[in-house]
Structure formats: structure tokens, C-alpha cells
Amino acid sequence: MKLNLTKIRSMRTVTKIYAEKSSVILSAVIILFCCALAVISYNNSSSALYGSICESLENRAIDNSRFLSQVFGEKLRELEMLASDPDIQSMNWEKQQRDLFIQVDRLKVKRFQIINKDGLLHSSNGTVVDVSDREYFAKAMAGVSNITNVFRSRIDHSMVIVCATPIRDEHNNVVGVLSDTIDYYELSKILEEIHVGKKGYAFLIDEEGATVAHPEKDKILSKETSLINMSKNPEYKELSNLEERMIKGETGFGFYSYNDVKKFMAYTAVPNTHWFLALTVPKNEVFNKIESLRYRFIIVTTVFVLGAIMFCYHILHFISEKQKVRDLQRSADENYKQLLEVTEMDQMKTEFFSNISHEFRTPLNVILGALQLFELYITNKKPVKMEDIVKRIKTMRQNCLRLLRLVNNLIDTTRIDSGYSDINFQDDNIVQVVEDITLSVADYIKQKNIEIIFDTEIEEKVMAFDHDKVERIMLNLLANATKFTSEGGQIFVNISDKGEQIEISIKDTGIGIPEDQLDTIFERFRQVDKSLTRRHEGSGIGLSLSKSLIEMHKGKISVKSELGKGSEFIILLPVKLLDNGEKNSEMNTKQINKYSRIETIHTEFSDIYM
Ligand code: ADP
């Protein structure tokens, strides 16, 4: 019992450790899973945000480049309109000059110029210079309106942009060129209007990679910021790479570092011009949303993980506390149960000793009483009736047999308990053996005015069993049936064939057994009526001994009973035959048994006074 409890406890500890371990693993898995989810959602949202920021900046670059192209397109269209004026077409400078003065005022431009076929330029402010080598003049003479890049004017040496358009006569022949000079700062002013975040700005570069417009004026047309110079400096490598892509006419975005500031840039070409527009903004300004998202993510995840760890810790603590309480409760229950068992055992032992003493004392008293009487007969020398002596001797004999039965039962029980009891299997007809035993006690039973009826389904069933032990079992059950059945009652012994088993039933119409005692009567020292003044003799060993003997045959015994109506004990024995090697040649064993049976019957029925 101790061993079992230790085993159960260690199993419980293992189960508990296992349960705690699995809870810790489960919690860790949940935390990791949530962290993984958070990382995935952070990545998704940051890349979505990143994508949308890049896309929106690129779109702004495209929109602004279209706007710039529109502004200069508009200027060209106005110039073309002016070129179709008859005064301008006349190529008469006086007429043209008058007209141009009016238009300079109206359109608020720096100045207009008329260039004749030979490339001689007359400015609205009166200056005359030769521009025959200028590309814009050649293009316009070829009939193409065009806008120049920024260059230094020959009139006032300032940085200008020129829009030029051909002047045609009534036959549509190009007779001269009308041009409009725009201060390049005007371009910068347009770009200043483009706001990119707080610190961002727009700039323009030309086909050579020279800065054409920039919020920092010193950078405009500066050699330092030219693409050739920048590409030589490893510090500006990223920017020069991006500008190279720009002047190829690509639209896109990228990152670069300038004076240790990481910047983000979206770029595109300005249609119908020589320029390429870039919108640039410090990276942290654009991505501060993502950055703040990251910090928020780190804080939330940390708080969540800490919370989850604390939660799991409390849950585990709670579980282990609960488990401890449960374990304590369970061990208290077990201890209480053990205490009850020990107390009950102790009580049973006390009862047994008191019963057994009674069992020993009663026959001994009877024998002593008879002996005293004999002594009296001898000392008084009175004449004694022979009948009396015989009667006393009979009583003494019966009580000696009761003592013998008691001692036999105690010895057998101890032997079985200590494993010293052998079983002597013999192949024989069990039906015949049971019938013989029943018939041999029939006279005893009839003397008590009880009817005994033997019935069988089969006449013969040869199987292996121990004669002596079956006899002990049958005699014990028949003696009990006789003991607990009153005069006029009946005892039935039935045998039925159950195939692989044989069933022997001993049924009586006696006092019956209370339902709540049916489970315990096979336990040793159990008696239904435990009082010392009980009506029936007995030690409470018989049924437990019979059960042990049946179990030695690998059989079973059960009981059905109804209080006041009777009881039925059912024995099931397995039908088996001995192997040839096991067969015993002692054929006279049966014979010896027959002789000894009468003695055994006397012993087994010694409790019953006739
Ligand atoms: P005992 O020597 O006391 O008869 P047993 O172990 O043979 O011991 O029986 C245990 C108890 O079972 C008996 O004391 C009795 O109370 C009950 N019992 C056994 N057989 C019968 C029966 N046929 N009818 C009623 N009670 C029975």
C-alpha cells in the first residue's frame, strides 16, 4: 500500500511538472506568436506607408513638372500669338518696337527681342547684338518655337532663359525670330512655391547635370554642384547616381546623403524643356510616421510581452497553488481513508478475537462440563445410565470437531495467505463429485427437517479440479445454507453447463443476507450478525476460505440474496483438462477422499446441533 501511494504521488508530481511545463511552453508559444503577429503587422503597415509616401512624392514631382511645362508652354503660345501680329510680321523695327513696348507692359516680361534673318537682335530696350550663333535662333529660323536653357545674356550679362518663335510673312516663310527673355530667378520663384514637407524643396537640373533652379541661389550653375564634379566626390555618389537617372528622363525615387543628412528624392523630366525636376526632403521627416509607428510598436510589444509574462506567471502561480491545495486535500483524504481502513481492520481483529475466543470457549466449556459430570459420576459412585454417558461423549466429540474445524480453517487461511497451499488438479467428473458430496450431507440436512434437492443439466463433465478443495467449498456452502435455513425450508444444488465454464449453484430458502452486506461477506471475519449473543455459530472465515479455494481454480463465486427469502451462491469453474504430463496416476486418491469425507462432513457440520 505504501509502495502504491508513493508511486501515485510520484506520478502526480510528474503529471504536475508536465502540466506546469506545458503551460509555460504554451504561454511562451502564445507570446512568441503575438510578437510574430506584431512584427508582421508592423512590417506590413510600414511597407504600405513607405510605398504610399514614395508614390505620393513621385506623383507630386510629376504634377509639378507638368505645371512647369505648362507655364513655359503658355509663354511660347503668347509669343506665337504676338509673332502673328502684322506689325511684327512687317519686320519694320519701328513698328515692331512700338508694339513690343506695349506688350512688355501688358505681359510684365523683362524684354522682347526681334532677330532678323542675319541674326541681328534688336531688343525692346534698344540694344542690338549679334546672336546668329545661338542655337535658339537657328531652331526658330528652322520654324521651331523653343525654350533655351539658362545662359548669360549678351545684352546685360545677366542669367536668362529665352523663349523663341519664328516670325512668318504672308507666304508663311520665316522672316525673322521673336524672342522673350525670362530672368532665371523667375524659375526659382516658381519652384519656391512647391512645398515639400517642412524642410523639403524642389530643384531643377539641365541635360548637363547643372543646377538650373534651387532655393540656395549659390548652387545655381555652380561648378561645385555640377554632375561631373559631384560624381567625382564619393560623398555625393548617391546623389550623382540619381541625377544620372534623372537626365536619362527616368521617373522614380531614391535616397542620398548630403552633408550627413539622409534625404529622400522623387524625380521626373519636365516635358518640352531641357530640365529635370527633383523634389527632395529629409528622410526622417518623411518617414517619421513610420519611425513613430516603430517606437509605438516597440513600446506596445514590450508592454504586451511584460503583461503576458506577468499574466502567465500569475496563472501558473494560481494553478500551482490550487494544485498544492488539491494535493494536500487528496493526501488528507488518503490519510483519512487509511485511518478508516486501519481502524476498521483493528475493529475487525477485535471482533475476530472476541468471536474466536467465544468459538473456542463454548465447545471447551461444553467438554469441561461433560468431564465434570464424569468426575461426579466417579466420585459419587452413583449408578450411571449408559445413555447419559453416550450422549455426553457425543456432545464432547461434536465440540472437539468444532474446535478442529476452527483450527483447520485458521491453518488453511494462513497457508493460502503465505502461499504454501498447493492445488492438486485431477481430471474427473465434477457432476458426480458434487452429487456425491450433496448426497453425503443429505441425512444431516434432513435431520434438521430441511429438504435438499439436487438437479443437473448434464450427467457428466470431466475436467481438472482439486477434489479436496471442491469438497471443502461445497461442504462450507451447504453447512451455511443449513445453518441459516429454518426447519421446513429447502436447499437446491444445481449444476449447469456454460460451455467453457461449469456453474454450481447452492440456493436456500433461509434468512437471506441484507443487500448492503452482499459485497463484504466474502471478506475474512465478516459476519452479518456480529453480536456475541448471535443465534448461529461461526467465525466468519468459511466464505473467505471458499473464495480463495475457488480462485485457486481460476474460478469465481458470487451471491444473490433477498432478506427473509433466501440466498443463492453461484460458483463458476473453468472447464479444462490436464496435459498428459500433468496427469497423476494415483487413482486411489478418490477412494481415500471418500473415507476421509465422512470425517470432513462431521467437522464442517459441527456448528449445526442436531
Ligand atoms: P461463518 O463461519 O460465520 O458462517 P462464513 O464466512 O461461512 O462464516 O459466513 C460469513 C457470514 O455470511 C455468516 O456469518 C452469515 O452472516 C452470512 N451467510 C453465509 N451463508 C449464508 C446463507 N446461506 N444465508 C444467510 N447468511 C449467510
Side-chain angles (χ1 to χ4, degrees):
M1 193 149 191
K2 244 184 198 169
L3 259 177
N4 282 349
L5 277 178
T6 324
K7 209 173 159 187
I8 291 168
R9 260 184 218 131
S10 70
M11 270 169 70
R12 236 177 245 151
T13 322
V14 170
T15 323
K16 199 178 136 189
I17 292 168
Y18 180 74
E20 276 176 10
K21 257 191 180 175
S22 8
S23 329
V24 172
I25 291 170
L26 190 72
S27 322
V29 167
I30 293 173
I31 292 169
L32 281 179
F33 180 71
C34 294
C35 287
L37 269 187
V39 170
I40 291 169
S41 63
Y42 163 74
N43 273 345
N44 284 351
S45 51
S46 70
S47 62
L49 200 60
Y50 172 82
S52 81
I53 287 172
C54 295
E55 205 181 291
S56 76
L57 209 64
E58 195 180 292
N59 285 341
R60 279 197 68 194
I62 294 169
D63 289 347
N64 284 300
S65 71
R66 279 191 197 137
F67 172 69
L68 268 177
S69 164
Q70 225 173 324
V71 169
F72 283 91
E74 205 64 41
K75 280 193 185 295
L76 269 185
R77 242 164 283 135
E78 275 171 6
L79 210 60
E80 277 163 1
M81 287 246 298
L82 193 60
S84 61
D85 186 285
D87 282 348
I88 303 292
Q89 279 176 333
S90 69
M91 287 308 282
N92 177 327
W93 173 239
E94 275 174 28
K95 283 185 187 172
Q96 285 173 326
Q97 197 176 27
R98 198 180 48 229
D99 242 30
L100 291 182
F101 269 131
I102 299 163
Q103 293 308 327
V104 165
D105 248 23
R106 187 176 72 84
L107 296 170
K108 304 268 182 279
V109 296
K110 195 174 162 99
R111 59 179 177 256
F112 282 112
Q113 295 90 209
I114 301 287
I115 311 165
N116 68 17
K117 270 180 170 182
D118 304 322
L120 220 56
L121 179 143
H122 291 266
S123 171
S124 53
N125 62 7
T127 327
V128 180
V129 284
D130 184 4
V131 291
S132 56
D133 58 335
R134 295 286 197 200
E135 199 186 331
Y136 69 87
F137 166 70
K139 271 191 188 170
M141 282 307 289
V144 181
S145 298
N146 64 91
I147 302 162
T148 66
N149 207 342
V150 178
F151 66 93
R152 200 167 287 282
S153 161
R154 281 176 188 157
I155 300 172
D156 57 5
H157 305 290
S158 64
M159 300 305 289
V160 290
I161 297 156
V162 169
C163 295
T165 192
I167 304 168
R168 297 171 194 274
D169 62 9
E170 63 267 29
H171 307 293
N172 209 26
N173 292 325
V174 179
V175 288
V177 173
L178 173 66
S179 69
D180 162 17
T181 300
I182 306 163
D183 195 322
Y184 81 96
Y185 286 122
E186 261 186 56
L187 195 59
S188 292
K189 255 186 240 161
I190 298 172
L191 289 193
E192 274 164 27
E193 295 300 308
I194 305 171
H195 297 288
V196 190
K198 282 180 197 153
K199 293 185 183 163
Y201 55 86
F203 67 89
L204 276 179
I205 58 168
D206 65 14
E207 292 147 324
E208 308 295 322
T211 309
V212 176
H214 198 284
E216 293 170 42
K217 305 281 184 289
D218 56 326
K219 286 209 168 105
I220 296 166
L221 295 181
S222 137
K223 276 193 180 164
E224 240 179 76
T225 57
S226 73
L227 186 55
I228 303 167
N229 267 342
M230 280 206 306
S231 59
K232 283 178 195 161
N233 189 342
E235 212 184 308
Y236 303 135
K237 192 84 194 132
E238 292 162 320
L239 179 59
S240 61
N241 282 346
L242 286 173
E243 287 190 357
E244 267 168 26
R245 272 194 240 153
M246 280 171 83
I247 57 182
K248 276 183 197 159
E250 287 178 19
T251 298
F253 56 82
F255 295 96
Y256 69 96
S257 288
Y258 195 85
N259 293 341
D260 292 332
V261 181
K262 280 223 163 220
K263 293 191 174 196
F264 175 70
M265 184 174 111
Y267 53 85
T268 189
V270 182
N272 306 319
T273 67
H274 308 268
W275 308 312
F276 304 92
L277 175 70
L279 301 186
T280 179
V281 64
K283 190 185 166 195
N284 56 5
E285 193 187 313
V286 183
F287 293 100
N288 61 359
K289 274 186 189 171
I290 296 179
E291 286 299 303
S292 77
L293 184 75
R294 194 169 69 180
Y295 290 130
R296 242 180 286 158
F297 157 77
I298 291 169
I299 291 166
V300 168
T301 309
T302 316
V303 168
F304 173 77
V305 168
L306 285 177
I309 289 169
M310 275 169 72
F311 178 73
C312 291
Y313 172 77
H314 277 106
I315 290 281
L316 285 179
H317 187 70
F318 178 70
I319 290 173
S320 75
E321 284 301 305
K322 230 179 156 187
Q323 188 70 36
K324 266 186 212 161
V325 172
R326 232 181 278 147
D327 280 356
L328 276 174
Q329 182 76 47
R330 216 174 280 151
S331 79
D333 287 352
E334 269 163 19
N335 288 344
Y336 182 66
K337 218 171 137 190
Q338 268 177 285
L339 187 72
L340 278 185
E341 275 171 17
V342 170
T343 318
E344 204 183 345
M345 200 71 166
D346 202 51
Q347 202 181 337
M348 268 169 68
K349 267 188 190 162
T350 316
E351 271 171 25
F352 171 70
F353 281 119
S354 102
N355 282 351
I356 218 87
S357 321
H358 177 76
E359 288 301 303
F360 275 112
R361 201 178 56 184
T362 314
L364 281 173
N365 275 340
V366 175
I367 296 166
L368 269 176
L371 284 173
Q372 274 170 356
L373 207 74
F374 286 145
E375 268 176 6
L376 262 179
Y377 286 149
I378 295 163
T379 48
N380 289 349
K381 291 184 184 152
K382 273 187 182 174
V384 187
K385 282 184 193 166
M386 204 52 181
E387 272 172 44
D388 258 7
I389 293 175
V390 172
K391 201 177 152 194
R392 298 293 165 196
I393 290 175
K394 219 175 153 187
T395 316
M396 280 170 71
R397 194 170 170 273
Q398 184 170 14
N399 282 286
C400 283
L401 286 174
R402 274 184 67 194
L403 288 173
L404 187 65
R405 177 179 181 253
L406 197 58
V407 174
N408 279 350
N409 280 351
L410 283 172
I411 290 171
D412 286 346
T413 309
T414 324
R415 257 199 217 153
I416 290 173
D417 277 359
S418 53
Y420 284 116
S421 180
D422 289 334
I423 183 153
N424 182 22
F425 279 112
Q426 294 285 317
D427 284 342
D428 203 348
N429 182 3
I430 185 99
V431 181
Q432 190 61 54
V433 170
V434 172
E435 188 177 357
D436 284 354
I437 299 167
T438 312
L439 287 178
S440 61
V441 294
D443 284 344
Y444 266 91
I445 295 169
K446 277 176 196 159
Q447 275 182 52
K448 261 203 84 180
N449 212 3
I450 297 168
E451 195 183 357
I452 178 148
I453 301 133
F454 175 84
D455 193 11
T456 178
E457 267 182 10
I458 40 165
E459 287 308 316
E460 189 183 70
K461 191 77 185 179
V462 178
M463 57 184 257
F465 60 94
D466 185 318
H467 289 87
D468 289 348
K469 293 194 168 62
V470 168
E471 194 179 270
R472 284 289 293 282
I473 299 162
M474 283 304 296
L475 287 177
N476 175 257
L477 294 174
L478 285 166
N480 275 352
T482 315
K483 215 177 354 176
F484 298 106
T485 304
S486 4
E487 283 191 17
Q490 288 171 309
I491 297 173
F492 303 90
V493 177
N494 279 315
I495 301 179
S496 12
D497 188 1
K498 302 279 174 198
E500 290 188 353
Q501 286 178 317
I502 197 95
E503 186 187 278
I504 306 163
S505 141
I506 299 98
K507 192 175 171 182
D508 62 58
T509 55
I511 59 169
I513 303 161
E515 209 182 325
D516 61 331
Q517 311 246 2
L518 287 176
D519 289 339
T520 53
I521 53 160
F522 293 105
E523 285 172 22
R524 197 171 302 162
F525 315 133
R526 288 283 185 182
Q527 288 177 315
V528 174
D529 181 3
K530 294 176 194 160
S531 61
L532 282 177
T533 53
R534 62 189 192 275
R535 290 189 297 145
H536 306 283
E537 306 299 331
S539 55
I541 311 178
L543 277 181
S544 108
L545 186 63
S546 295
K547 189 176 178 229
S548 302
L549 295 175
I550 291 164
E551 279 166 358
M552 284 173 89
H553 284 83
K554 307 262 180 275
K556 276 181 189 160
I557 182 165
S558 57
V559 63
K560 292 181 205 165
S561 184
E562 210 177 317
L563 209 56
K565 289 198 172 171
S567 316
E568 182 182 12
F569 287 84
I570 299 158
I571 303 166
L572 278 170
L573 293 176
V575 176
K576 261 195 240 160
L577 286 170
L578 289 180
D579 292 340
N580 279 341
E582 287 177 310
K583 275 192 180 147
N584 199 326
S585 58
E586 291 175 51
M587 290 309 289
N588 57 351
T589 322
K590 259 196 274 179
Q591 212 52 35
I592 294 164
N593 282 345
K594 267 184 187 168
Y595 294 127
S596 67
R597 182 179 300 145
I598 298 161
E599 200 57 29
T600 319
I601 295 168
H602 285 310
T603 315
E604 285 298 329
F605 276 69
S606 57
D607 276 351
I608 304 155
Y609 290 103
M610 300 302 165

